[in-house]
Amino acid sequence: MTSPVSADSTRPVGADRPGRPAREISPEIARSWLLVNAMRTELFDESAASRADAIILDIEDAVDPSHKDEARENVTRWLTAGGRAWVRVNDATSPFWADDLAGLRGTPGLLGIMLAKTESADQVTESFHRMDGKTPVIALVESAVGIEEANRIAKAQGAFRLAFGSGDFRRDTGMAATPEAMAYPRAKLVVASRVGNLPGPIDGPTVGTNHPILREQSAITVMMGMTGKLCLAIDQTTVINEVISPTPTDVAWATDFMRDFEANGRVIRDGSDLPRLGRAEKIMKLATAFGVQPAV
């Protein structure tokens, strides 16, 4: 079951900051999710002013256990001072999880949490309730157990989107990073998201600075039916946004189809019209949100 997200949470991250153009990208369709080490406070404002659709301040894997309290304080201080972000919290079996949720509960500017290493629906629901039932939870699935529980996780109270922790999943299973090897867990998250009536899932990150590789892997994200992607650096966001958005050619097709459909009185002429109508409406919605113009 999807938890409600307040209208305020759809405002663009960093939109109130000088020099940042206002872009309202709803978290349901956000493409680029930028992970920011919570110990690197000098990056918070820069990340918020970037082209990332959403930023996630990370107090989990990016932070040494000896610095967890400091990282959490960095996050709450920045959010309370006017920052706006999601936060990746430690997993429900860790000794830091309860303190993370207690420390973040009620913090101004907190848009939602990403729950690391999610393996059960109960972990999502318990996290949601500890946040007073008001904070959406992105379930980061990073293990074989999590993948096989994905349908139940997607239907958990408080679940907002699923995300793929591909690196930890490969470590857990010994599987390769090839598209063929990763096809099953990606497809599982896509199907589970549909079962749970959630937006499309968020794919794992691409490591490294090679943009052609990032573009290729982002295209695989789209091909598999995923609608967002984690990123590890600001310069990855523009590539991810471009690849996951509808192409100008797609928008031109959708525009022409809708014009013809309206001109014919919105009459369904054959069995292919309904699927094409659904595709055209989806493309037009995304094109409007992302500012994609039709090809001339």
Side-chain angles (χ1 to χ4, degrees):
M1 179 168 71
T2 305
S3 62
V5 179
S6 69
D8 189 53
S9 71
T10 66
R11 294 174 57 211
V13 173
D16 296 329
R17 299 183 183 280
R20 175 68 190 268
R23 291 185 309 118
E24 298 213 3
I25 305 299
S26 167
E28 285 94 344
I29 59 172
R31 303 156 295 182
S32 52
W33 292 76
L34 177 60
L35 285 162
V36 183
N37 186 332
M39 292 299 291
R40 299 285 307 276
T41 55
E42 73 277 9
L43 297 178
F44 288 7
D45 285 346
E46 181 183 359
S47 299
S50 75
R51 294 193 175 276
D53 285 348
I55 64 170
I56 308 168
L57 303 181
D58 187 6
I59 58 178
E60 194 238 354
D61 269 358
V63 178
D64 184 84
S66 63
H67 295 298
K68 296 289 188 182
D69 290 343
E70 181 183 355
R72 193 183 309 116
E73 290 169 6
N74 290 341
V75 168
T76 56
R77 186 182 308 114
W78 186 77
L79 292 174
T80 301
R84 295 167 55 77
W86 295 68
V87 178
R88 176 160 76 166
V89 300
N90 289 276
D91 70 271
T93 65
S94 79
F96 310 107
W97 169 74
D99 288 341
D100 286 348
L101 300 185
L104 291 168
R105 186 172 59 245
T107 301
L110 177 67
L111 302 181
I113 61 170
M114 172 175 278
L115 180 62
K117 299 177 176 62
T118 305
E119 292 193 327
S120 75
D122 288 345
Q123 291 173 348
V124 174
T125 301
E126 179 66 16
S127 298
F128 181 63
H129 286 310
R130 288 194 181 217
M131 298 297 287
D132 296 331
K134 300 176 182 178
T135 304
V137 180
I138 294 174
L140 183 61
V141 178
E142 309 184 68
S143 66
V145 171
I147 288 293
E148 291 307 292
E149 289 292 313
N151 285 3
R152 295 182 181 87
I153 291 170
K155 292 190 285 186
Q157 185 181 20
F160 178 69
R161 280 178 85 169
L162 303 182
F164 186 27
S166 49
D168 279 342
F169 177 79
R170 292 195 301 271
R171 283 191 287 274
D172 183 47
T173 61
M175 296 171 71
T178 62
E180 295 82 2
M182 291 295 100
Y184 173 73
R186 284 182 170 125
K188 182 72 173 181
L189 293 178
V190 170
V191 172
S193 296
R194 185 69 190 92
V195 168
N197 197 29
L198 303 183
I202 302 163
D203 202 0
T206 294
V207 179
T209 59
N210 188 307
H211 280 193
I213 291 176
L214 174 62
R215 184 174 296 277
E216 178 182 322
Q217 294 191 357
S218 298
I220 292 169
T221 296
V222 175
M223 179 183 69
M224 291 300 303
M226 307 181 94
T227 58
K229 185 172 172 64
L230 296 173
C231 43
L232 305 176
I234 287 174
D235 67 353
Q236 291 185 331
T237 60
T238 53
V239 175
I240 290 170
N241 288 348
E242 179 188 347
V243 176
I244 296 182
S245 298
T247 67
T249 301
D250 289 336
V251 179
W253 171 84
T255 301
D256 291 345
F257 176 87
M258 293 303 297
R259 184 183 297 120
D260 180 64
F261 187 65
E262 294 290 345
N264 285 281
R266 299 185 64 88
V267 174
I268 301 300
R269 296 162 294 188
D270 57 51
S272 68
D273 268 356
L274 278 178
R276 289 194 296 167
L277 175 62
R279 178 171 180 259
E281 289 177 336
K282 180 179 180 181
I283 289 172
M284 295 298 288
K285 175 185 176 183
L286 295 177
T288 299
F290 303 147
V292 182
Q293 298 298 315
V296 179

